[in-house]
Amino acid sequence: MTVEMREGYEGTGTGAITPDGCAVEVYTRLPIGPEPDIIAAAVPAGAHILELGSGAGRMTHPLLERGFTVTAVDESADMLARVRGARTICGPIEQLDLGDEKFDVVMLASFLVHAGDEEVRRGLLRTCARHVAENGCVLIQREGADYHTDVPRERVDPAGFTVRIASVTPVADGVDSVHVEYDFPDGTWTQTFLARPLTKEQFESALEEAGLEVDEYLTPDGVWVRAVRVR
Ligand SMILES: C[S@@+](CC[C@H](N)C(=O)[O-])C[C@H]1O[C@@H](n2cnc3c(N)ncnc32)[C@H](O)[C@@H]1O
């Protein structure tokens, strides 16, 4: 199935590329960091998590291993085909409407809240608010403070690949085009995407617009946030 690329987003390298430029092959190879532990410490044991933008299940699988139930949403069927042990839903997050079905936890990770298009961001946050149970929470992963300024930068991963933020170029008011390269011994993949940096104030005001508010900044760098519906 051919899916249309989002404007300003591009990916190169072998295999399927998602509409936001992610290479499926890269996301099946990238190791997971401390994220599942951060999530597990922030939500009730055994919670049902609605994971928005799950990709190939890099976070889904460790969350299932920790005893959570996960419903994984992604607009890429190629990514979702790699997800095991979770219910999957294919489609744009901003259009997701599961009716009366609410979740203990709704998770919007991978910096998706920084979508270049503000309308898309509004849609993503409205989806979070629409699907969280009354006493549930929304977990959001934000960009770190220097993500757009400490450039170029690269990290050599012990697993044997290098990830490089090669350039960050302003392309419109408040929006940057970010170019990332992944060098593996057997190939190189790239992703170019649009990202809108958000100050803490801008982030909190975007939440408020969607009927959400910060409950707690979970990590000292402010990257992981637990939000709740405004009561
Ligand atoms: C950077 S990848 C991260 C995947 C996964 N969260 C991880 O950490 O491995 C982003 C994923 O979100 C999906 N995605 C991005 N924007 C989306 C949208 N608006 N609706 C549905 N899926 C989206 C992409 O298809 C991709 O699989």
Side-chain angles (χ1 to χ4, degrees), residues 6 18-20 22 27 51 53-55 58-59 73-76 79 91-94 110 112 120 124:
R6 289 177 180 262
T18 64
D20 71 336
C22 294
Y27 277 87
E51 184 189 4
S54 65
R58 204 165 61 104
M59 290 207 219
V73 179
D74 204 288
E75 64 187 348
S76 164
M79 283 286 198
I93 297 163
E94 53 274 40
S110 303
L112 295 183
V120 170
L124 300 176

Side-chain angles (χ1 to χ4, degrees), residues 119-222:
E119 260 319 297
V120 170
R121 184 194 66 219
R122 287 189 187 103
L124 300 176
L125 289 173
R126 277 198 295 260
T127 293
C128 293
R130 193 161 57 240
H131 292 92
V132 67
E134 202 174 338
N135 292 312
C137 66
V138 176
L139 294 184
I140 299 175
Q141 186 183 24
R142 305 166 63 216
E143 292 179 342
D146 58 358
Y147 276 28
H148 289 240
T149 49
D150 178 18
V151 180
R153 66 179 185 275
E154 71 173 34
R155 184 175 61 79
V156 180
D157 194 278
F161 66 91
T162 299
V163 56
R164 184 178 307 110
I165 310 296
S167 65
V168 172
T169 313
V171 288
D173 195 19
V175 183
D176 291 335
S177 174
V178 181
H179 184 72
V180 186
E181 296 166 354
Y182 298 92
D183 287 337
F184 284 82
D186 60 339
T188 293
W189 285 265
T190 72
Q191 183 189 11
T192 304
F193 59 93
L194 299 180
R196 180 180 287 275
L198 297 170
T199 63
K200 187 164 169 280
E201 291 69 31
Q202 288 168 329
F203 169 68
E204 290 181 1
S205 124
L207 288 189
E208 191 185 346
E209 205 184 352
L212 297 167
E213 64 185 4
V214 172
D215 179 41
E216 189 181 338
Y217 285 92
L218 300 168
T219 48
D221 56 8

Side-chain angles (χ1 to χ4, degrees), residues 13-32:
T14 56
I17 303 287
T18 64
D20 71 336
C22 294
V24 174
E25 182 64 30
V26 166
Y27 277 87
T28 56
R29 295 181 183 204
L30 289 182
I32 192 69

